[in-house]
Amino acid sequence: MIESSIGTLEILMLIAVIVGMIAQRLHLPYTVGLVLAGIGVAFLPIPLEITLSKELIFVAFLPPLIFEAALHLRWAELRKDAVVVLTFASFGVVLSAGLTAAGMHAFAGWAWPSAALFGVLIAATDPVAVIATFKEAGVKGRLRVLLEAESLLNDGIAAVAFAILLTIAAGGSITGMGIASSLVLTIGGGIACGALVAGGILLIAGKTAEPVFEITFTTVAAYGSFLLAEHFHFSGVLAVLTAGLMVGNIGPLGSISDQGREAVLSFWDYTAFVVNSLVFILIGLSEAEQNFAAVLVPASAAVILVIVGRAAAIYPLALIFARNEKLRVSGKHQHIMFWGGLRGALSLALAMGLPADLPHRNEIVTVAFSVVAFSVIVQGLSMLPLLRRLGEVPAKQ
């Protein structure tokens, strides 16, 4: 079993490198190439022991990806746009989820609990997909901070809402005060766990200047903060985000030595490459197993509703800051945030975690895969041309 799993990893990584080289030559998005490669591999007689699952995404993939992204976020830049980011990450999720849920109830005929759960799980833009796309395109500056930070934060809100809706769908009762306390506890607890773990790690890391030890400490910070928060049913994503921000912003990479700084950053860059590669190939493999023809109508409706919901989450909220010179989001940045709100592994993980007895459960999972396929392939392929057209990246990138 272990040998076959290692063999599968080797095959997938070899595919990832080859796809990366081909994508680079053809000037195509690497992530799109990986998904298409995964779809192709699914039809080959190759026994693969690793499959996409909620546990694999949450426990193995999300912590390193979020930590690596947070490691590069500068607190000074994030603080300037904290109000804007929080507005998009909270109210934006609510608007998008509400519109999508109402549409799926009306056009697909789904019961309200099922429609609401789908609306929430598909509303949050996925940090895995967004960060990979923007890093590949070379987007920098305020736009990257806005979209990456929003993507890192809004799934925490969506996860809390998802848990609350699951309780209601299972027949539980929850009051307005209960919702508010759950939000505060989940978000605050996640941040506290991240700060506790990162603080302890930085304190210990300051006692050594050995790069190998310092890399190990940051790895413990990434997974330790996530697992601690999830153990107490707090937001693991916000815990990792907090830990990454602290390690990356307290001094020169916290208490990590100057000698170890380059080694730590190189390690996390490579880790992000490996995990991203596995995520998108496995998404492709899973996409090939879906019966999209059986959900053609609800899937088409969902794609349209998700796009409209994303527009409702960006353009109206951007008007709030239109008269503030420091916080105003330019028109072209709004367009990129709208079209760059990609969905990915996070939405699939939540969908696969739905209870088996939920009405339309299997349909919801397949529709979620449909939306992710459209998001990664169609939006992914069109992101670079849009960025070029709007002058965010060089014309010949």
Side-chain angles (χ1 to χ4, degrees), residues 2 9 64-65 96 125 129 160 179 215 227 237 241 245 255 277-278 299-300 302 312 315 390:
I2 294 177
L9 282 174
L65 288 172
S96 180
T125 55
V160 174
I179 293 175
I215 289 173
L227 293 173
V237 172
L241 175 59
L245 283 171
S255 298
S277 299
L278 293 174
S300 300
Y315 295 112
L390 295 177

Side-chain angles (χ1 to χ4, degrees), residues 3 5 18 31 40 46 58 81 89 102 114 130 141 181 213 226 235 255 278 282 303 332 372 388 394-395:
E3 290 181 355
S5 296
I18 294 173
T31 51
I46 302 175
F58 271 100
D81 285 303
S114 300
V130 174
S181 62
F213 297 162
F226 182 87
S235 173
S255 298
L278 293 174
L282 290 175
V303 168
K332 67 177 183 178
V372 170
R388 286 172 175 164

Side-chain angles (χ1 to χ4, degrees), residues 6-24 29-48 50 273-274 276-282 284-285:
I6 293 175
T8 297
L9 282 174
E10 290 182 345
I11 292 172
L12 295 181
M13 290 311 302
L14 178 60
I15 292 171
V17 173
I18 294 173
V19 168
M21 294 170 64
I22 295 173
Q24 193 175 54
Y30 171 57
T31 51
V32 175
L34 288 172
V35 172
L36 295 177
I39 294 174
V41 170
F43 295 100
L44 298 177
I46 302 175
L48 299 176
I50 301 175
F273 164 75
V274 171
N276 268 321
S277 299
L278 293 174
V279 166
F280 286 104
I281 289 178
L282 290 175
L285 285 167

Side-chain angles (χ1 to χ4, degrees), residues 88-336:
F88 285 132
S90 55
F91 295 109
V93 167
V94 173
L95 286 171
S96 180
L99 194 152
T100 302
M104 295 307 290
H105 175 71
F107 300 120
W110 289 356
W112 273 115
S114 300
L117 283 166
F118 176 78
V120 169
L121 70 86
I122 210 69
T125 55
D126 183 19
V128 177
V130 174
I131 292 168
T133 300
F134 267 54
K135 284 183 67 175
E136 186 180 349
V139 177
K140 297 180 180 179
R142 188 188 185 215
L143 174 61
R144 180 166 173 172
V145 172
L146 284 175
L147 200 58
E148 287 190 3
E150 180 219 352
S151 176
L152 287 166
L153 287 170
N154 66 16
D155 66 304
I157 302 297
V160 174
F162 186 80
I164 292 171
L165 288 176
L166 271 182
T167 300
I168 296 174
S173 60
I174 188 167
T175 63
M177 184 62 70
I179 293 175
S181 62
S182 179
L183 278 170
V184 172
L185 189 63
T186 304
I187 294 172
I191 294 172
C193 286
L196 179 65
V197 172
I201 289 298
L202 288 173
L203 185 63
I204 301 172
K207 307 298 182 182
T208 181
E210 174 58 51
V212 174
F213 297 162
E214 292 170 325
I215 289 173
T216 304
F217 283 135
T218 60
T219 305
V220 172
Y223 282 102
S225 58
F226 182 87
L227 293 173
L228 179 64
E230 289 293 319
H231 175 75
F232 291 106
H233 304 291
F234 300 146
S235 173
V237 172
L238 291 178
V240 179
L241 175 59
T242 302
L245 283 171
M246 287 181 63
V247 173
N249 286 275
I250 299 178
L253 277 184
S255 298
I256 294 173
S257 66
D258 292 338
Q259 181 184 3
R261 190 187 327 166
E262 185 176 346
V264 167
L265 292 176
S266 295
F267 168 79
W268 282 106
D269 284 342
Y270 176 70
T271 300
F273 164 75
V274 171
V275 177
N276 268 321
S277 299
L278 293 174
V279 166
F280 286 104
I281 289 178
L282 290 175
I283 286 177
L285 285 167
S286 299
E287 293 281 0
E289 299 173 354
Q290 305 303 313
N291 183 10
F292 294 118
V295 295
L296 185 60
V297 173
S300 300
V303 168
I304 295 172
L305 287 167
V306 167
I307 292 174
V308 174
R310 180 62 179 172
I314 296 298
Y315 295 112
L317 294 179
L319 290 175
I320 298 174
F321 310 103
R323 295 186 178 183
N324 188 312
E325 194 64 32
K326 293 182 179 180
L327 299 179
R328 185 174 66 87
V329 181
S330 67
K332 67 177 183 178
H333 283 187
Q334 291 180 47
H335 299 329
I336 295 170

